[in-house]
Amino acid sequence: MEREIYEKLVEWKKDPKRKPLILDGARQVGKTWILKEFGKREYENVAYINCDKVSIVKGLFIDFDVERLIRAFSAVTNEFIIPEKTLIILDEIQEAPLGLTALKYFFEDANEYHIVVAGSLLGIRLHEGTGFPVGKVNELKMHPMSFMEFLTALGNSVLVDQIKQHKWNELSFLSSKLEDLLRQYYYVGGMPEVVCEYVDTRNLLEVRNIQNRILSEYEQDFSKHIPRSLLAKVNMVWNSIPSQLAKENKKFVYRMIKKGARAKDFEDAIQWLIDAGLVFKCFRVNKIDRPLKFYEDFSAFKLFVSDLGLLGAKVDVSAKEILTGENYFSEYKGAFTEQFVAQELHSIDMNLYYFSKENSSLEIDLIVQKEFVYPIEVKAEENLKSKSLRTVFENNPSLQTCRFSMAGYRVQDWMTNVPLYLCREWIVEAK
């Protein structure tokens, strides 16, 4: 399957100022596959080492003699490693934390070697004081497959090309097809193994079985990697997310985890899930103006999961409800729809915010900043009433207000309506 991150890997290879690369991302998002595919296409050979399966690897980093390490990598992989022509992949690098420190010396002493590291729960290890080589590496974050990648995997590359031309008005005749494909994405999600199964077999039962297995593996990771004192709290936060997203305003509320719970009790558990790549935050701002970071309110946030399909599996929403339910996009108080939009924007590494006022009905679902600030209202249906959005615009006409809904593309004096299935591409093009 084609992944958008592939182009970034090629850019990394061609960059004359290239540094050793860290590829981060949650378990099962396709890191190993994309690196092997990249190596096969772009290099003469690949020296691949799984640090979790090759027991001697941990003992290789007794010092940071790069030439000795190259000889060792060559011996372990039985590959002749040639500068500029061989891709060295150290997978599951979290099992050999000193391997991260070694990247500094590859950069300083032997940058002619192309080396990339990846691993599950790598984000956790990066916060454990392992001697992270600050300023000596490039970093890329890998996400589940976006809706555009999903369309390509299903054989709709011509449709994707049409969308990427950004001629929004001309896409209206494709709305029925795109809405149907969006329903499929709501159920399948973007985990590559799940998408592959759906592409090959259309077996919805097996799709759900794989999703449930991935969720089970995540929970096994909890038991394996989380300190006992933190384990129960991580599980409580993880299991509370569906009900948090089902609320009207979707703000994360600690008392929904446990009666009397406070932020200080669960901050470390939430951070663990973020570092593991399983969830991401959307902070509240107390003013909608640039730069948004000036107005962050760290005491209030929304918490989204990494993948929409896994959210559906976690709450056991049936294929029938998603694929054939006439009112599906408006059910569950829009929880799945806002998750979809947040996930799409997160996949292009946008910082996400929202706005609300205590004791007021004024609320903006999502806000992003590029050259302009874009307050976004997310509608799960064709309801075109947007009182909060209009109020925000009237208070600051420089804002680029937009609504993502199931209605067609339409530009008004004060707001642009964008069909849900175009939200990511529209933001990509926006200034």
Side-chain angles (χ1 to χ4, degrees), residues 230-280:
L230 187 60
L231 178 58
K233 294 193 291 184
V234 170
N235 277 309
M236 291 168 72
V237 172
W238 178 241
N239 291 327
S240 81
I241 292 176
S243 59
Q244 302 274 3
L245 291 176
K247 296 192 286 77
E248 191 67 35
N249 65 7
K250 299 171 182 59
K251 173 188 172 184
F252 193 88
V253 178
Y254 289 98
R255 65 176 179 273
M256 291 185 67
I257 305 175
K258 180 182 177 182
K259 185 177 180 179
R262 295 173 294 177
K264 68 177 184 179
D265 300 323
F266 288 93
E267 285 176 337
D268 50 357
I270 292 172
Q271 191 60 50
W272 194 97
L273 289 166
I274 292 171
D275 291 342
L278 304 187
V279 303
F280 58 94

Side-chain angles (χ1 to χ4, degrees), residues 25-52:
R27 178 188 288 277
Q28 301 282 0
V29 296
K31 299 184 297 296
T32 299
W33 182 87
I34 196 64
L35 289 178
K36 287 183 174 180
E37 188 71 10
F38 171 59
K40 182 171 68 175
R41 293 187 195 180
E42 306 295 337
Y43 292 84
E44 291 187 6
N45 65 325
V46 177
Y48 174 82
I49 300 175
N50 186 319
C51 300
D52 189 33

Side-chain angles (χ1 to χ4, degrees), residues 28 191 193-194 210-218 310:
Q28 301 282 0
M191 302 306 283
E193 184 181 359
V194 180
I210 296 173
Q211 290 169 333
N212 285 331
R213 195 200 72 228
I214 292 173
L215 288 172
S216 177
E217 289 174 353
Y218 284 171
L310 294 183

